[in-house]
Every structure is written in structure tokens, then in C-alpha cells.
Amino acid sequence: MIPLRDSPRSSTVPVITWLLIAVNVVVFLFELSLGSRQLDQFVQVFGFVPRTFFRWVQLGGSPLDPWRFVPLVTASFLHGGFLHILGNMWFLAIFGDNVEDRLGHGRYLFFYLLCGAGSMLVQGSFTPGSSVPAIGASGAISGVLGAYLLLYPRARVLTLIILIIIPWFVELPAVVFLGVWFVTQLLAGTAALSPGAGAAAGGVAWWAHAGGFVLGMALCLLLRRPRRAQVQRDWTTRAPRGIWLPR
């Protein structure tokens, strides 16, 4: 299922969402400029490596060394290919603006970074001995999806569903679209834990997606602005268009 657009209209300019997209694109272009060996080293340093994080002290590091925690943030700005970054930025552009609208710019940025870091820890907790770097914004964006589900459960998402070779365009309630998406992450993550999964898991951090989604819902409850503030802002935004009386 590919989302094409959603029904809610933002009343503010989503400056943080566009800034995050721009930073991801710039970092990806920098990755493309590196040679193969340099890129591997770059990803090893700034990607989240579970084994390095969880065995930091055993490897001789201080438990509170800032460099231990840096990859929790930077890993969300690295991507492994064009489709990887395109899919992530597409979802962020469609769903991020509305979540930013409800949380506010500053809270939304904090929310996004925390979801990214938390999703990496969730993924790492399932594979603590892995030396493979986890990279990508999908964990943070999964948090955005979780918040969107709470904030806009009745929104409509125009969705492209491809049935073999036949494109089908349908409007789905957000609760259906995101509910199906979350269940697929759980099922794929569970399958990836099976002993013989190996390459069949596709190298996808399924538990970062599921964990980020749940974390996004929890953080949204803590960070979303009171409804009164939202009504006041809606009044300010909509008043020039005519008279509007709050119900």
C-alpha cells in the first residue's frame, strides 16, 4: 500500500518536516560522494551497531561516553539506497506535516529525534549481539505514524494498492491504513526472529518500526498541546477567511 495524500490540512507551515527531509537528502548525497571503504567506515561510526552499544563498557568505554549515544541520533539520517530514502521521505512528507501542526515545531523535532533513538534501542534489544549497523529514518517516521493514528484516526488516506499489475486507488481511513501497516511490521518482525530467517528477513529493522510506532503513540500523549491551544490557533488561522464560531 502506497499513500498518495491524506485529508487533513495543516494550518501552519511544516518547517521542521521539510528541514528533516532536506537534512536526510544532504546526508544521502554525502554518502554517495564517498568511496566504498569510506562509506563502510562512515556507517560503522554513525550507524547504530547493537553490539558496540550494549557491550560498550566491556570494550573499554565509559558508560556515559557521549560517543556511545551519538549513533542513536545520527543513524536515523543515514540510508542504504535510493528506494530506502525515497520511501522514508515520502511517508514523512505525507504524515509529518499534520503531526507537526498538532505538536508544534519544537516539540515535534524533539519527538522525532526521540522516536528515532528509541526505535534503534528497541531493534537493538532484539539483536544485541549484532555487528550490523542499523540505519534509516523509518524508526523515527514510524513514531510519526503512531502519533498520526492518535491525532487523526478519522482522516482519509488516498492509497495506491497494486493487485498483481492492476493499480487500485482507494481512500482508506487512517486507522485502517496504519493498523494494517503496524500489523505487517509485527508479523514480519516475529518471522525475522525465527532461527532460519537469515536473508529472508531482508535486512529490515522490523522491530524498529514496531517499537517506533508504539513509542510515537506514547510520546504523543505526553507532548501534544492542550486542545484549547489548538482551538485558539485554529481561530487565528481561520478568522481571516470569515466568521468561525467554536463549538
Side-chain angles (χ1 to χ4, degrees):
M1 300 190 301
I2 303 173
L4 301 179
R5 67 168 182 264
D6 62 339
S7 58
R9 296 291 183 89
S10 298
S11 59
T12 58
V13 179
V15 291
I16 299 300
T17 295
W18 291 116
L19 177 62
L20 289 169
I21 292 174
V23 172
N24 275 278
V25 170
V26 169
V27 172
F28 182 66
L29 292 176
F30 175 73
E31 290 181 61
L32 294 179
S33 71
L34 299 175
S36 178
R37 184 174 180 180
Q38 291 176 310
L39 179 59
D40 288 343
Q41 294 174 341
F42 183 73
V43 171
Q44 283 290 335
V45 172
F46 294 103
F48 177 71
V49 181
R51 183 177 185 275
T52 301
F53 180 85
F54 290 110
R55 298 191 61 189
W56 186 269
V57 176
Q58 291 90 325
L59 295 173
S62 169
L64 298 180
D65 187 343
W67 276 105
R68 180 187 185 186
F69 302 95
V70 165
L72 289 174
V73 176
T74 57
S76 293
F77 293 92
L78 306 180
H79 289 86
F82 285 101
L83 290 180
H84 191 196
I85 189 172
L86 178 62
N88 281 343
M89 296 305 102
W90 184 264
F91 269 73
L92 180 57
I94 289 178
F95 296 103
D97 60 334
N98 298 114
V99 176
E100 180 178 352
D101 190 43
R102 288 291 297 273
L103 296 184
H105 306 305
R107 293 186 184 191
Y108 174 70
L109 178 59
F110 176 73
F111 164 88
Y112 182 91
L113 296 177
L114 199 56
C115 283
S119 68
M120 293 294 171
L121 288 174
V122 172
Q123 178 64 29
S125 68
F126 281 92
T127 57
S130 174
S131 297
V132 179
I135 61 173
S138 54
I141 297 169
S142 297
V144 173
L145 300 184
Y148 190 99
L149 179 60
L150 284 182
L151 297 172
Y152 304 95
R154 298 181 182 178
R156 310 291 292 185
V157 181
L158 179 61
T159 307
L160 168 61
I161 301 176
I162 301 177
L163 303 175
I164 307 177
I165 60 172
I166 301 174
W168 179 34
F169 297 91
V170 59
E171 277 196 349
L172 297 175
V175 66
V176 172
F177 180 92
L178 296 174
V180 170
W181 180 90
F182 179 66
V183 170
T184 61
Q185 308 310 303
L186 284 179
L187 293 177
T190 303
L193 294 177
S194 62
V204 179
W206 300 110
W207 290 108
H209 300 173
F213 189 90
V214 174
L215 180 59
M217 296 179 73
L219 288 176
C220 178
L221 293 174
L222 295 174
L223 296 176
R224 65 180 176 181
R225 293 183 292 189
R227 190 64 185 174
R228 181 178 179 182
Q230 181 69 21
V231 169
Q232 179 63 41
R233 187 164 53 78
D234 287 348
W235 169 275
T236 303
T237 303
R238 299 172 66 173
R241 304 177 187 174
I243 298 175
W244 180 83
L245 297 176
R247 295 179 181 177

